[in-house]
Amino acid sequence: MPPASGGARPQSSGHAREQLAALLGRWRGTTEILPSPGGPVRLADAEVTFTLAAGGYAVIQSYRHTEPDGSHFEGHGIFTVDPDQGDTLWYFVDNAGSAPEAPARGTWHGDTLVIERRTAEGTSRHTFRVDDGVLTQIAELRHGGATAFTPFFTSVCRKT
C-alpha cells in the first residue's frame, strides 16, 4: 500500500509489491513523443501493464505505444528491490536498443519514483508517478557531455 504523499517507502522486506503497489494493473492512454532527430512531435496510443511476479519480489512491466502510421515501440521491464539499500532496481529492454549492462537504480521522492539508466550513449531518466488514478511516466535524455536532460516523451494513462 503506497504511503501518503511525501512519506518514505517500505523497505524492510524487499518486496517490490510494497514499493510499486500503486503501479500494478493495466493502464491505457497516450504518449507524447517530443521532437528529436527521430521525428517531429507526435501522439501515440499507449498501453502499459504492471504485474506481480516471483512471490511479490518483482514486478513485470510491459509497455507498448502505437503511432498513427502503425509504427510501434515496445519495451519490457523487471522491477525489484535491493534488499540492502532499499533502492528500486529496473532491468529494461526494448525494440529500439540493446539490453542494459546492469540494472538502473531508482529512488523514491515521496510518491514519485526516479530512475536513471546509464549507457555508453548517455543517461536516460525515467520518472513514474500515480496521482488521482493517473499514471504519468516522463523520459528524459542526456547524451555525451551534456549537463542537462532533454525531455523525450511523456505518457499519461488511466487504469482500465
Side-chain angles (χ1 to χ4, degrees):
M1 186 164 174
S5 182
R9 290 282 165 171
Q11 297 181 12
S12 58
S13 72
H15 274 123
R17 74 171 162 236
E18 293 171 350
Q19 287 198 359
L20 299 165
L23 298 176
L24 295 174
R26 182 174 180 215
W27 304 80
R28 293 189 62 101
T30 59
T31 295
E32 180 182 25
I33 305 155
L34 298 172
S36 71
V41 66
R42 55 207 186 273
L43 286 177
D45 291 326
E47 182 174 339
V48 62
T49 59
F50 295 91
T51 309
L52 282 176
Y57 284 93
V59 170
I60 306 296
Q61 171 197 25
S62 292
Y63 172 87
R64 180 180 177 96
H65 75 238
T66 304
E67 298 189 39
D69 67 2
S71 62
H72 77 280
F73 171 86
E74 65 180 276
H76 302 278
I78 299 174
F79 292 89
T80 191
V81 177
D82 179 332
D84 296 326
Q85 296 182 8
D87 292 347
T88 300
L89 303 177
W90 185 42
Y91 299 84
F92 188 82
V93 296
D94 59 45
N95 66 328
S98 59
E101 296 176 14
R105 193 169 285 272
T107 56
W108 288 92
H109 304 272
D111 290 338
T112 302
L113 174 61
V114 179
I115 298 176
E116 288 195 5
R117 182 174 166 201
R118 292 172 180 79
T119 68
E121 294 83 33
T123 302
S124 62
R125 180 169 58 196
H126 300 264
T127 303
F128 297 86
R129 180 174 177 82
V130 176
D131 190 31
D132 289 332
V134 176
L135 167 65
T136 303
Q137 179 185 355
I138 299 169
E140 303 167 288
L141 304 173
R142 184 176 64 206
H143 290 289
T147 57
F149 283 94
T150 301
F152 178 62
F153 76 78
T154 299
S155 293
V156 178
C157 299
R158 291 194 173 276
K159 202 173 267 193
T160 62

